[in-house]
Amino acid sequence: MVLVLALGDLHIPHRAADLPAKFKSMLVPGKIQHILSPGNLCIKEVHDYLKSLCSDVQITRGEYDEDTHYPETKQLIIGAFKLGICHGHQVEPWGDLDSLAMLQRQLDVDILITGHTHQFKAYKHEGGVIINPGSATGAYSSITYDVNPSFVLMDIDGLRVVVYVYELVDGEVKVDKIDFKKPQ
Amino acid sequence: MQVQEDAVSSAEEQDKWLADAMALVQHNAFYMHRAVDASNLRDALKYSAQMLSELRTSKLSPQKYYELYMRTFDELRQLETFFKEETKRGRTNADLYELVQHSGNILPRLYLLITVGSVYIKSQEAPAKDILKDLVEMSRGVQQPIRGLFLRSYLSQISRDKLPDVGSPYEGEGGNVMDAVEFVLQNFTEMNKLWVRMQHQGPAREKEKREKERSELRDLVGKNLHVLSQLDGVDLEMYKDVVLPRVLEQIVNCKDEIAQYYLMDCIIQVFPDDFHLQTLETLLSACPQLQPTVDIKTVMSQLMERLSRYAAASPEVLPEFLQVEAFTKFSHAVVEVIEAQPDMALVGAVSLYVALLTFVLRVHVDRLDYVDQVLGGCVKKLEGKGKVKDVKATKQLVALLSAPLEKYKDVVTILKLSNYGKVMEHLDYDTNRVMAVVLMQSILANNTLITAPEKVDGLFDLLKELIQDSEGAPSIDELDEEDFKEEQNLVARLVHMLVNDDNEQMFQILIAARKQFGQGGPKRLPFTLPPLVFAALKLVRSLQNEDLPDDGPVSLKKVFQFLHQTVEALSVVPAPELALRLYLQCAEAAGVCNLEPVAYEFFTQAFMIYEEEIADSKAQVTALQLIIGTLQRTRVFGVENRDTLTHKATGYSAKLLKKPDQCRAVYACSHLFWVEEGSGVKDGERVLLCLKRALRIANAAQQMSSATRGSNGPMTLFVEILNKYLYYFEKGNTQVTSTIIQGLLELIVTEIQSENTTQDMQVDAFLANTLRYIQFQKHKGDSVAERYSDIKVPS
């Protein structure tokens, strides 16, 4: 059982002051094995905070990130799964699932973590799963109105991944879960 | 060297003298015990007197004298028992009392007299008050300080349980509590006089030694006050009318710095808090009368501290505090003390205000006017002093500023204190900035929202050293870069705490903040303006549903003007990449509001920045992605404007430096001509043109690679374009036929297997995934599958 946290588009400090307090109290160091972020943190303080939660932090570049050396895409293997990360502002049209599926074929990954739209999505298609953890701070987006803060926790176990999405709705944390099984 | 030798030999000598004296005490005590066992009163008296003669020494230091005293004290207890037995055997107390006065020397005589006196009082054959009065007056016979202090200490110890207090067996005939008080006060007064006299005995160069010895003896004097506090009969009335005035009189009149400090402190520690509360004025009025060198601020701080804790522990006494006007009295006393001691260091004065503030925060926490008054008093003291340089005073100032913040945890409350900012102004620049950071962190940690425009101004006034360059402040270049960035990022985060649901108020807040930030200079603007832009964009969303007139206090037009002017200020810094992104955000927002000219203007600004100021290849690629992405989503434009902008975008795409970047940007532009939602443009031909152009560029890239490296590069771009073809094929673009797709598919498969092509596992996987995708689509069994039926997947 491997726990992977996916969160992005925090946009601190341009669009948000901080993570919601309820999220912060849930994110405790030492429980998570990997953190994957599609980007737009945007400052070093946020990167340092993520590193304090878990030593393996993989970040791709969002268009507002202060550190311009984050890569455009990343690929990694966790257990039986190949994962890819890309912020998504590079993929036109923004948020288009078919275009993202193309990127997924190109990166040759089972799970693609992407962001930019600030809207949670878990989309299963022929090539695998696309997961957008949304904006962890509920930051303003020109693409999505009324953004609720959200992030995703994946539990990878053998050929199965359970995706837990945490969303802050009217001050309360709501959890939903989706199951995916990788074909043999 | 000489002095040190003296000191060392002195310690050795002391030990020797003490040992000698102790031996003699033991010797005489032995014979005394023998006499006691034989009921020989005369011999007992003789040997006890000899034993007590050792206490007549002048050689011992107070510490050593104490050891000797304790030894004889133990022996005297046994003597006392003997005296008691003697009276049972027929000797009267009066007789004994008279007999012991025949001792030759006064000191032994008095010790014996007190010892008999103890038995006498206990027998109740004579009124306690008479005996006590006699003893305390006879003790005047010993005027040497150390001997006198110990003698009177003996008197005090012995008499403790024999005072005619309320409820004691000695009350009534034996006297009343007034007599007891009188006795103790007299003993105290005489002991203090002896103690003070020590200060002036001996040569000036031994002053330090004398003061140390005095310090060792101070509890002997203070004990008397403790005794007074323990008397049941000393109630508030007695304390107020008799005890306190007499004690204070002695303290003031003795004019001795050491005694005054110690005894004031003693009073405060020893008597109950509600006594202090009720006699506050008397107690405080003594303070300015003390010697100027007395550390009265510590005494006053102690008193305020005690009363603060009293209030905190027993909230029911709070009305009493108000009734006696404790705060006013303290406030005046602080001012008077500071005035009476013009040489007091700044740190002393400020720490007095800190103590006063702590008192107010504990006792009158809801009286912001009191808090402000205390700060105001400090400001007055600081007038004309500019920025405080003394480190200790600065520390106290920070304590003064932090206390209300920690108590109220709400910067909005702090903003109500008119003197807070004035105190901050007296901090040196570094400390001021640290304090400003503390304020910001408090707002963020406590989620304090600032909802009024005036409050915004008030807040930034406190933070002014961070927001702007002020005269005399170190320039930004001198500051540590990391610190500067951290501070500015905090200011940026702060912007999200300035909120008001009312749109007009919110706009006023933005304008106020903009004004403050505007003076920050080019290094600060890239940090502070972007959050304002996003806050304004949120306001735009909020206004979208309302139909407000353009010239009202807030309107879409006015907010977009604000946005335009704000992003422009950023582009001037210069911060082109940031400005470009923000112009695009504004453009998209304007599009959603149906404001075509405004949206067009924003796109124009963004394009101009792209053309003129973004030269870095990588930056161009990203900028173009953003331009295309935003343009693709913007629906507000009419045909002409749309054509102009898309034409520009495709032009930029073709002119990127690297061929692969060109290729990708060009096929990305294809999406500008195909909008899925609603009645968006679906120009199949233009899409195909883009894709074909991309294909040509990909070919050119292959040729370049072949020419320069000897082999064709990987087929990545071709597979990407193939996927784009499939995308449009599925969406129903009739211009993208299955023939075209088949052709490209076969080309790719052939080339990939060719020896001339660089092998690349990524591309192989990409192609494999694409072929699998096609197979999947073919077997779906719906209308899409039908379209795919013509495509044959090569093996």
Side-chain angles (χ1 to χ4, degrees):
Chain A
M1 165 170 125
V2 180
L3 285 178
V4 181
L5 174 67
L7 85 177
D9 287 311
L10 294 95
H11 287 282
I12 294 172
H14 288 171
R15 306 188 204 184
D18 206 352
L19 273 171
K22 290 207 166 151
F23 280 0
K24 269 183 134 165
S25 58
M26 290 169 67
L27 296 173
V28 174
K31 299 271 172 69
I32 297 164
Q33 279 78 55
H34 304 275
I35 296 184
L36 309 181
S37 178
N40 273 346
L41 301 180
C42 307
I43 50 179
K44 185 169 166 295
E45 274 104 316
V46 182
H47 190 159
D48 290 341
Y49 167 71
L50 292 178
K51 285 221 85 148
S52 77
L53 296 176
C54 159
S55 55
D56 184 40
V57 178
Q58 308 282 342
I59 307 181
T60 52
R61 191 176 73 92
E63 78 275 34
Y64 284 90
D65 273 312
E66 178 183 64
D67 185 347
T68 50
H69 296 109
Y70 296 142
E72 298 285 312
T73 61
K74 249 185 193 248
Q75 289 145 286
L76 60 154
I77 297 180
I78 298 177
F81 283 86
K82 292 187 280 189
L83 295 104
I85 320 173
C86 178
H87 180 251
H89 64 270
Q90 305 94 328
V91 179
E92 321 279 2
W94 290 341
D96 183 291
L97 292 166
D98 295 314
S99 297
L100 288 168
M102 165 180 154
L103 177 62
Q104 185 156 6
R105 292 193 282 273
Q106 182 164 14
L107 295 177
D108 190 34
V109 293
D110 305 304
I111 302 174
L112 175 66
I113 313 279
T114 180
H116 190 55
T117 63
H118 297 202
Q119 181 167 59
F120 164 73
K121 271 260 181 321
Y123 173 60
K124 186 168 174 12
H125 61 102
E126 146 312 312
V129 177
I130 296 173
I131 296 179
N132 183 333
S135 162
T137 54
Y140 170 90
S141 161
S142 59
I143 300 171
T144 310
Y145 281 42
D146 295 322
V147 180
N148 283 326
S150 65
F151 69 87
V152 156
L153 198 58
M154 294 181 283
D155 184 354
I156 296 179
D157 193 1
L159 292 176
R160 195 165 157 251
V161 58
V162 182
V163 176
Y164 296 94
V165 56
Y166 296 81
E167 200 181 347
L168 191 68
V169 181
D170 292 328
E172 292 304 315
V173 178
K174 294 204 165 25
V175 192
D176 217 339
K177 87 178 174 135
I178 305 162
D179 255 272
F180 291 110
K181 206 156 175 215
K182 177 172 157 153
Q184 291 290 63
Chain B
M1 273 306 16
Q2 184 64 24
V3 175
Q4 236 177 330
E5 268 176 24
D6 279 346
V8 166
S9 66
S10 189
E12 279 173 8
E13 276 183 323
Q14 289 279 310
D15 286 336
K16 184 178 177 305
W17 290 326
L18 177 62
D20 287 346
M22 289 288 233
L24 282 168
V25 164
Q26 180 145 349
H27 176 85
N28 285 305
F30 173 74
Y31 287 107
M32 181 187 87
H33 285 302
R34 253 224 328 222
V36 160
D37 289 340
S39 299
N40 184 341
L41 178 62
R42 219 185 61 168
D43 278 356
L45 289 179
K46 171 180 152 195
Y47 287 112
S48 59
Q50 273 173 225
M51 175 184 77
L52 288 164
S53 289
E54 294 310 313
L55 287 174
R56 293 177 61 215
T57 178
S58 303
K59 293 190 208 159
L60 293 176
S61 72
Q63 266 186 346
K64 300 293 176 203
Y65 192 93
Y66 175 74
E67 282 185 57
L68 189 62
Y69 165 84
M70 283 313 287
R71 185 73 174 78
T72 47
F73 183 91
D74 290 337
E75 298 303 337
L76 287 173
R77 294 285 60 65
Q78 306 206 25
L79 192 62
E80 184 179 338
T81 311
F82 175 61
F83 286 153
K84 180 126 189 264
E85 274 155 27
E86 278 292 292
T87 60
K88 288 203 189 116
R89 285 195 278 268
R91 188 79 65 171
T92 64
N93 279 297
D95 277 346
L96 273 175
Y97 199 76
E98 220 253 294
L99 256 178
V100 297
Q101 293 189 48
H102 293 307
S103 291
N105 293 304
I106 187 164
L107 192 68
R109 188 192 318 156
L110 287 170
Y111 270 101
L112 290 173
L113 195 63
I114 293 171
T115 312
V116 171
S118 174
V119 177
Y120 202 170
I121 295 173
K122 276 227 288 252
S123 74
Q124 297 194 18
E125 285 176 14
K129 67 174 178 191
D130 291 344
I131 301 170
L132 291 170
K133 190 161 174 10
D134 197 42
L135 290 173
V136 79
E137 276 179 9
M138 295 274 259
S139 297
R140 282 219 185 117
V142 179
Q143 286 296 318
Q144 197 275 352
I146 294 182
R147 296 198 285 272
L149 279 170
F150 276 98
L151 175 69
R152 286 187 178 273
S153 187
Y154 182 65
L155 173 58
S156 177
Q157 265 180 288
I158 295 305
S159 62
R160 260 206 98 144
D161 56 340
K162 301 172 185 83
L163 298 172
D165 190 10
V166 163
S168 92
Y170 308 103
E171 200 185 8
E173 290 267 346
N176 54 31
V177 67
M178 201 52 230
D179 299 310
V181 167
E182 205 38 64
F183 166 74
V184 178
L185 279 177
Q186 216 181 326
N187 204 21
F188 161 72
T189 306
E190 293 305 313
M191 283 176 84
N192 194 38
K193 285 186 189 160
L194 290 170
W195 190 40
V196 168
R197 190 175 306 153
M198 280 177 77
Q199 186 71 17
H200 310 288
Q201 284 184 325
R205 61 181 156 82
E206 286 186 0
K207 186 171 128 172
E208 219 179 289
K209 175 168 167 238
R210 276 203 301 283
E211 286 186 352
K212 182 167 177 296
E213 288 184 352
R214 281 193 65 192
S215 174
E216 288 165 8
L217 292 167
R218 66 186 191 185
D219 285 340
L220 296 180
V221 181
K223 198 70 196 289
N224 293 294
L225 297 180
H226 187 70
V227 170
L228 283 170
S229 75
Q230 300 289 82
L231 289 171
D232 288 330
V234 174
D235 57 2
L236 179 59
E237 283 297 310
M238 171 94 50
Y239 176 75
K240 200 157 88 162
D241 295 337
V242 179
V243 175
L244 186 62
R246 287 276 293 276
V247 173
L248 283 179
E249 191 187 341
Q250 171 56 214
I251 291 177
V252 170
N253 289 344
C254 77
K255 294 198 193 320
D256 176 79
E257 181 193 329
I258 293 179
Q260 286 181 340
Y261 181 78
Y262 171 69
L263 290 171
M264 287 298 283
D265 187 53
C266 233
I267 292 178
I268 294 170
Q269 301 297 337
V270 143
F271 290 102
D273 294 323
D274 60 296
F275 280 17
H276 295 316
L277 199 55
Q278 295 298 329
T279 56
L280 205 48
E281 193 147 5
T282 317
L283 197 53
L284 291 175
S285 63
C287 293
Q289 297 178 57
L290 302 177
Q291 300 302 102
T293 43
V294 172
D295 182 14
I296 194 58
K297 63 169 172 23
T298 307
V299 172
M300 282 180 65
S301 303
Q302 295 251 33
L303 183 58
M304 285 192 260
E305 175 70 32
R306 265 193 85 99
L307 290 178
S308 306
R309 273 189 257 136
Y310 179 44
S314 333
E316 64 274 9
V317 304
L318 283 176
E320 220 181 300
F321 276 83
L322 287 166
Q323 186 232 342
V324 305
E325 292 179 11
F327 170 68
T328 315
K329 297 202 171 105
F330 272 126
S331 204
H332 282 153
V334 165
V335 170
E336 274 175 34
V337 164
I338 292 180
E339 271 175 28
Q341 298 194 354
D343 292 336
M344 194 196 288
L346 188 60
V347 58
V350 181
S351 47
L352 258 175
Y353 281 111
V354 172
L356 187 55
L357 185 61
T358 313
F359 175 79
V360 170
L361 289 174
R362 292 230 193 118
V363 178
H364 301 294
V365 67
D366 49 332
R367 295 293 298 260
L368 279 181
D369 57 329
Y370 282 176
V371 176
D372 211 12
Q373 209 180 313
V374 176
L375 293 175
C378 194
V379 168
K380 203 145 175 271
K381 177 71 186 156
L382 292 167
E383 227 167 277
K385 295 212 184 346
K387 310 258 180 236
V388 169
K389 294 195 191 60
D390 175 52
V391 170
K392 290 196 190 137
T394 302
K395 240 179 122 177
Q396 287 299 316
L397 283 175
V398 169
L400 192 68
L401 292 168
S402 306
L405 189 61
E406 275 157 26
K407 186 76 184 183
Y408 298 118
K409 295 195 195 316
D410 178 11
V411 175
V412 174
T413 308
I414 300 295
L415 290 175
K416 297 188 189 149
L417 300 168
S418 66
N419 289 307
Y420 197 88
K422 293 183 196 163
V423 176
M424 272 185 82
E425 275 174 25
H426 287 281
L427 294 171
D428 62 87
Y429 290 109
D430 283 339
T431 314
N432 186 309
R433 292 204 349 262
V434 168
M435 197 64 220
V437 166
V438 168
L439 283 167
M440 289 195 287
Q441 283 169 338
S442 168
I443 294 176
L444 291 170
N446 292 307
N447 244 317
T448 314
L449 298 178
I450 317 274
T451 56
E454 315 83 57
K455 291 264 157 54
V456 169
D457 278 325
L459 175 62
F460 286 132
D461 191 55
L462 292 183
L463 304 176
K464 60 176 171 243
E465 295 301 333
L466 295 180
I467 313 273
Q468 303 160 7
D469 292 324
S470 65
E471 254 183 70
S475 78
I476 297 179
D477 301 319
E478 295 173 43
L479 302 171
D480 176 71
E481 204 187 313
E482 287 291 319
D483 288 344
F484 177 72
K485 265 168 92 170
E486 248 182 76
E487 287 166 10
Q488 295 304 312
N489 276 326
L490 271 174
V491 175
R493 287 158 98 149
L494 205 56
V495 171
H496 304 292
M497 297 290 146
L498 314 175
V499 282
N500 193 316
D501 287 335
D502 178 82
N503 291 327
E504 204 183 313
Q505 289 288 301
M506 187 62 209
F507 193 41
Q508 291 305 316
I509 287 176
L510 291 176
I511 292 175
R514 174 79 182 85
K515 194 147 175 260
Q516 294 272 357
F517 291 158
Q519 301 166 41
K523 291 229 166 83
R524 293 193 178 88
L525 294 179
F527 291 94
T528 55
L529 294 188
L532 275 188
V533 168
F534 286 105
L537 286 171
K538 277 203 205 158
L539 182 58
V540 164
R541 284 254 172 94
S542 179
L543 289 171
Q544 262 172 253
N545 300 324
E546 300 186 35
D547 197 13
L548 294 168
D550 276 349
D551 52 355
V554 65
S555 65
L556 280 174
K557 180 163 167 202
K558 287 197 172 167
V559 180
F560 275 115
Q561 275 170 359
F562 174 88
L563 280 165
H564 192 276
Q565 166 249 96
T566 306
V567 183
E568 196 173 18
L570 261 179
S571 67
V572 166
V573 163
E577 291 183 51
L578 198 47
L580 179 130
R581 281 151 176 71
L582 296 175
Y583 273 134
L584 290 175
Q585 291 277 348
C586 293
E588 196 173 342
V592 170
C593 293
N594 244 324
L595 298 169
E596 189 176 348
V598 178
Y600 189 81
E601 170 63 18
F602 279 124
F603 266 112
T604 310
Q605 294 294 333
F607 280 29
M608 273 167 54
I609 290 186
Y610 180 85
E611 284 178 30
E612 291 167 20
E613 300 188 51
I614 305 204
D616 176 76
S617 302
K618 214 172 149 217
Q620 280 181 340
V621 169
T622 306
L624 205 40
Q625 283 165 346
L626 300 176
I627 287 174
I628 295 170
T630 312
L631 196 49
Q632 199 270 346
R633 295 176 52 78
T634 310
R635 312 265 176 269
V636 71
F637 293 122
V639 173
E640 269 186 39
N641 279 339
R642 183 148 242 290
D643 276 347
T644 314
L645 294 174
T646 51
H647 180 74
K648 271 278 171 192
T650 44
Y652 295 153
S653 305
K655 292 206 203 72
L656 285 173
L657 180 62
K658 297 192 250 187
K659 289 267 177 252
D661 291 335
Q662 271 182 26
C663 176
R664 290 184 174 116
V666 166
Y667 76 57
C669 282
S670 70
H671 291 284
L672 292 173
F673 306 105
W674 193 273
V675 175
E676 277 292 290
E677 290 88 17
S679 56
V681 56
K682 285 194 179 69
D683 189 337
E685 271 185 36
R686 299 287 295 272
V687 167
L688 189 59
L689 277 172
C690 279
L691 295 181
K692 281 191 172 167
R693 198 169 176 190
L695 214 44
R696 282 200 297 278
I697 299 173
N699 270 317
Q702 287 290 59
Q703 282 166 12
M704 265 173 52
S705 178
S706 172
T708 53
R709 294 194 197 98
S711 70
N712 290 337
M715 296 294 287
T716 325
L717 293 172
F718 290 92
V719 184
E720 287 176 31
I721 297 169
L722 170 64
N723 272 271
K724 279 294 162 194
Y725 272 134
L726 292 172
Y727 176 93
Y728 287 109
F729 183 65
E730 285 180 33
K731 296 275 190 261
N733 182 345
T734 49
Q735 298 289 322
V736 178
T737 61
S738 49
T739 320
I740 293 177
I741 292 178
Q742 191 74 41
L744 183 53
L745 193 49
E746 282 168 15
L747 170 75
I748 292 171
V749 171
T750 316
E751 287 295 321
I752 264 187
Q753 288 164 353
S754 148
E755 277 171 6
N756 282 334
T757 309
T758 316
Q759 290 307 308
D760 185 325
M761 274 172 58
Q762 277 271 266
V763 181
D764 290 342
F766 191 8
L767 181 60
N769 288 335
T770 310
L771 295 177
R772 187 201 64 223
Y773 173 70
I774 296 173
Q775 289 288 39
F776 182 81
Q777 294 295 75
K778 277 166 81 76
H779 295 106
K780 257 168 92 171
D782 57 4
S783 58
V784 171
E786 266 190 57
R787 253 181 271 151
Y788 268 96
S789 55
D790 289 337
I791 300 179
K792 289 170 199 46
V793 176
S795 48

